[in-house]
Amino acid sequence: MIILRFTQSVIKSRPLRKIGAEQILLDVQAVKACLLDLPEPHPENGSTVYTKYVTKNTGQLETMLKVILAPDVSCEDGNRASVSQG
């Protein structure tokens, strides 16, 4: 629930600048660490279900933020790089 609301808030605050994406990425990593440190909600189901849930959902948000942080590469720049390498 926390991760879903966090993701929705990030999406609503678009467009994000790189500095904002960097800070949110750090915040996501901190929230993920806190969630993984919490006691298991249903220990009888095993810790892997909860850990997988947290990892999967934070991973999606982390991936989105890393795409925002990736350097912009236009088609021309990509073509120049491939020509210079080959």
Side-chain angles (χ1 to χ4, degrees):
M1 186 76 156
I2 293 171
I3 301 168
L4 177 63
R5 287 183 185 240
F6 195 88
T7 302
Q8 289 172 345
S9 296
V10 170
I11 291 171
K12 285 181 183 178
S13 64
R14 290 184 308 176
L16 286 175
R17 294 186 181 173
K18 290 192 186 261
I19 191 78
E22 288 173 357
Q23 183 59 52
I24 293 171
L25 185 59
L26 291 172
D27 294 343
V28 169
Q29 291 168 347
V31 168
K32 178 181 177 181
C34 289
L35 290 173
L36 291 175
D37 284 342
L38 291 174
E40 297 294 323
H42 302 286
E44 64 276 359
N45 292 341
S47 64
T48 58
V49 174
Y50 177 73
T51 302
K52 284 181 184 179
Y53 173 80
V54 171
T55 304
K56 177 185 172 193
N57 288 298
T58 56
Q60 291 171 347
L61 183 54
E62 287 172 334
T63 300
M64 181 182 71
L65 293 167
K66 288 176 183 177
V67 167
I68 293 170
L69 292 171
D72 296 332
V73 177
S74 67
C75 291
E76 272 184 38
D77 294 340
N79 288 337
R80 271 191 229 131
S82 64
V83 170
S84 65
Q85 291 176 357

